[in-house]
Amino acid sequence: MANPYQLNAPGLAHDPQWHRKAVFYEVLVRAFADGNGDGSGDLAGLIDKLDYLQWLGIDCLWVPPFFKSPLRDGGYDIADYYDVLDEFGTIGDFRRLVSEAHARGLRIVIDLPMNHTSDEHPWFQASRSDPEGEYGDFYVWSDTDELYSDARIIFVDTEESNWTFDPIRRQFFWHRFFHHQPDLNFENPKVHEAMFDVVRFWLDLGVDGFRADAIPYLFEEDGTNCENLPPTHAFLRDLRRMVDEEYPGRIIIAEANQPPFEVVEYFGTAEEPECHMCFHFPIMPKLYYALRDQLAAPIIQTMEETPDIPVGTQWGTFLRNHDELTLEMVTSEEREAMLGWYAPDSRMRANVGIRRRLAPLLDNSRAELELIHALLLALPGSPFLYYGDEIGMGDNIWLDDRDASRTPMQWNPDRNAGFSTADPGKLYLPVVSSLIFNFTNVNVEQQLAHSGSMLHWIRQVLGVRREHPVFGIGTYRNVRASAPSVLAFLRELPADAGEDFEGEAILCIYNLSRHPASTELDLSEFAGRGLRDVFGGSVFPAIGSDGRLGLTLGSQGFYWLRLRSARSDVYSPATQSMPLIKQEDPSR
């Protein structure tokens, strides 16, 4: 039987700006596809599904930790940086994954937690048993638990302190996350060397970059909150210098859940660069808030507060991922409102956030799912999608902690949703069997068969985005709209962007209200310019000679309209509706 996803791909093209235009896809190895029938996903299963991801239109896979681990924190508690968890496969399997992905034009970035290890890591075992030995100073030890008292506790619902007493060494060790994840001591230069060696090992295997997990917490200093300290940035500058010199074209992504004015420091400067990308945490909850508040102001304000970033860098944006939907970046009043809107049941909450998937968050509303994706894909940044969200997968709030949204990918309506041939009781987590999101109704096979499905819509919109580099490398500016529920902004390319896209400008308009809205936009500098819908090429009425554009949008509707180039024919001023017909590229 022919593979329904099979496409031809020339492999990876050299493009130093690739990370600014890419669409990333987070795929949990354990959750995606089981290749050997043991009930847990593995690298072989992921390789078998690469054709699907290529067909969907993904540019780069983000693979969270797959290293040897006791799995007390989903693999972020690493016991060996140089090996693959046995149930996932081998280093050879990983090499094949990279090779097969690259052959399809897909890049791969991996997660690299550098701040901490598992307490089962040999480094920690040596450190606790031999304080004077080679690894004695690899972790942060103290005779007292009173140091660094100004540092917040991140996992407030599980941890009472950032210090834990070790009965073997008879000292306290420091940990910013779980008590079984001791923090490495970055004051020790040998730790730097060890981390550089780990980075080189995986880049030598061909990965295209890595996500630097929990990067703000590398260093500690008494009297501070032990976050974003100058030595952390110095370490990142050294790391970036090594990557640029030895592995040009590879990227570092900073996971820094901090306010924008602090996150922007992780880009560094043009003279002293640090990370190529940083996640834009503040915009994500504001998208959800604006949907329920039905006002554009929260998004407009957040974008106004977003600082400029150095040339060649990029924000990473997302709707959901393997963690909870964090509400650290909103006010207490906004947090209470969002918990009421999106997590009325206490089982839906975790830490300072919400542990639900995208479709259940939005009550499985197709209009809202399309609207929020259209926002994510058009706002500045490279979007990160979460596996299963392209088909509107559900969650299971009866499972512990973050496992609620880490259930098996739903491929078809057969046993185990086509994820595994194992006995259902052997699955690492049960497939979703709730009334609305039951895997027999929500799966890839079912949606492939219907051209109007969410899956086909996502593929279409990713294809449109790829045709317009302005979404990745263009500038952003807000456009004033007369209706408070309407968000409008321009994405623009400079005149020297290349002849195919010279001066391209796309106007994005969204109605956040559940009712139709009529609005007027102020586009005075584009007076008389024609407009085309980028999805179907339909011609829209031109902007008026006074620079005003009146539009009506349906309930939670949106437009992506390309401004025709200034040299194109404009609309008849007599009617402002009928275009002068001229043969031209329909994308103009």
Side-chain angles (χ1 to χ4, degrees), residues 9-269:
L12 296 180
H14 174 70
D15 182 1
Q17 301 292 320
W18 71 264
H19 58 285
R20 301 181 63 204
K21 295 176 285 188
V23 173
F24 293 76
Y25 184 97
E26 181 184 5
V27 52
L28 302 181
V29 174
R30 180 183 300 280
F32 207 56
D34 176 10
N36 62 7
D38 66 353
S40 177
D42 47 43
L43 293 173
L46 175 54
I47 292 169
D48 288 341
K49 299 300 183 182
L50 290 176
D51 286 341
Y52 164 77
L53 296 173
Q54 181 193 1
W55 170 87
L56 183 60
I58 301 304
D59 300 297
C60 184
L61 306 186
W62 162 25
V63 186
F66 50 88
F67 313 99
K68 282 193 182 298
S69 165
L71 301 178
R72 298 180 68 184
D73 184 25
Y76 283 85
D77 48 331
I78 294 175
D80 187 346
Y81 282 105
Y82 292 97
D83 205 355
V84 174
L85 188 68
D86 288 340
E87 64 191 73
F88 290 167
T90 65
I91 287 291
D93 292 326
F94 185 83
R95 288 180 186 272
R96 188 162 71 91
L97 171 65
V98 174
S99 175
E100 295 280 359
H102 285 176
R104 291 165 174 80
L106 302 172
R107 288 180 165 88
I108 291 183
V109 298
I110 65 172
D111 243 315
L112 190 58
M114 291 189 284
N115 176 71
H116 52 264
T117 70
S118 164
D119 58 6
E120 295 184 18
H121 196 291
W123 294 346
F124 184 75
Q125 294 300 318
S127 186
R128 72 194 306 202
S129 61
D130 185 7
E132 302 303 320
E134 180 182 359
Y135 297 99
D137 197 30
F138 251 54
Y139 296 83
V140 182
W141 296 96
S142 173
D143 292 327
T144 173
D145 61 356
E146 297 177 0
L147 288 175
Y148 317 137
S149 58
D150 293 327
R152 64 190 171 107
I153 297 173
I154 294 172
F155 291 157
V156 292
D157 55 352
T158 57
E159 301 295 329
E160 297 180 355
S161 171
N162 287 322
W163 291 101
T164 291
F165 184 74
D166 179 58
I168 295 178
R169 179 154 164 163
R170 307 295 297 173
Q171 283 185 302
F172 294 91
F173 64 84
W174 176 254
H175 55 88
R176 288 309 302 267
F177 296 93
F178 292 116
H179 62 275
H180 53 78
Q181 291 172 321
D183 277 26
L184 288 161
N185 177 22
F186 275 81
E187 296 287 351
N188 182 351
K190 292 183 178 180
V191 171
H192 296 207
E193 296 172 10
M195 282 296 106
F196 275 42
D197 288 343
V198 169
V199 169
R200 288 188 177 101
F201 177 82
W202 292 103
L203 293 180
D204 284 340
L205 288 182
V207 300
D208 299 282
F210 58 92
R211 171 183 177 268
D213 177 71
I215 204 67
Y217 313 109
L218 299 188
F219 286 81
E220 301 78 34
E221 182 180 328
D222 218 14
T224 74
N225 66 358
C226 299
E227 300 177 20
N228 311 308
L229 297 180
T232 295
H233 292 287
F235 169 79
L236 282 173
R237 288 193 292 272
D238 290 341
L239 180 63
R240 172 65 181 270
R241 189 177 304 111
M242 182 273 286
V243 170
D244 282 351
E245 291 175 356
E246 300 180 23
Y247 306 92
R250 319 292 180 90
I251 65 168
I252 305 171
I253 307 170
E255 191 239 358
N257 189 2
Q258 308 285 324
F261 68 91
E262 293 181 346
V263 174
V264 74
E265 295 179 2
Y266 287 90
F267 289 112
T269 65

Side-chain angles (χ1 to χ4, degrees), residues 22 79 83 92 107 121 165 180 281 292 335 368 446 466 495 501 538 583:
D83 205 355
R107 288 180 165 88
H121 196 291
F165 184 74
H180 53 78
F281 280 93
R292 289 292 179 265
R335 185 178 303 123
E368 288 193 338
Q446 184 267 343
R466 187 181 304 106
F501 299 95
S538 299
Q583 292 292 328

